[in-house]
Amino acid sequence: MAQSVTQALTSDWIDRNMRMYGVADIDEWKRSMRDCATYKSVGANMVIAGLMSDAQELMAHGDVERARKTLNIAKSVLFDVMDGEMVGCVADCS
């Protein structure tokens, strides 16, 4: 049975997300991130810093591909902050 256009697009989207981010749905990953304690208490800037630290650790252990994907996630979150879709800093960040 042939795939519908929607299924093909969904499959292509998942493949793209897996190649770029290492997750099937980056938007779902970011929605889930909004529920984490770090985001709720200090904002996305600290989440981004944590992702960058994770990428450094991955590189230190030779896992450059996972580091690349982690940095892509950090950039996606950063772009959402820049676009006003996420809070970069909660309350008294200076």
Side-chain angles (χ1 to χ4, degrees):
M1 181 175 197
Q3 283 184 320
S4 71
V5 173
T6 304
Q7 288 171 328
L9 289 174
T10 301
S11 177
D12 289 345
W13 186 254
I14 290 170
D15 291 344
R16 175 186 172 273
N17 278 328
M18 291 303 294
R19 283 191 311 275
M20 288 180 67
Y21 306 109
V23 298
D25 187 345
I26 187 63
D27 295 323
E28 179 59 33
W29 188 96
K30 290 186 288 188
R31 279 190 293 276
S32 175
M33 183 214 67
R34 288 182 174 128
D35 289 332
C36 80
T38 302
Y39 180 76
K40 287 180 176 181
S41 62
V42 293
N45 292 344
M46 189 56 73
V47 174
I48 294 165
L51 288 164
M52 293 172 68
S53 292
D54 292 349
Q56 286 177 308
E57 188 68 17
L58 289 164
M59 285 187 283
H61 292 282
D63 196 346
V64 177
E65 180 61 15
R66 277 184 49 209
R68 181 188 69 79
K69 290 175 180 179
T70 301
L71 287 171
N72 282 342
I73 292 171
K75 290 187 303 186
S76 182
V77 173
L78 176 62
F79 295 146
D80 282 0
V81 171
M82 292 168 59
D83 290 342
E85 296 175 24
M86 282 190 196
V87 175
C89 188
V90 174
D92 294 328
C93 294
S94 25

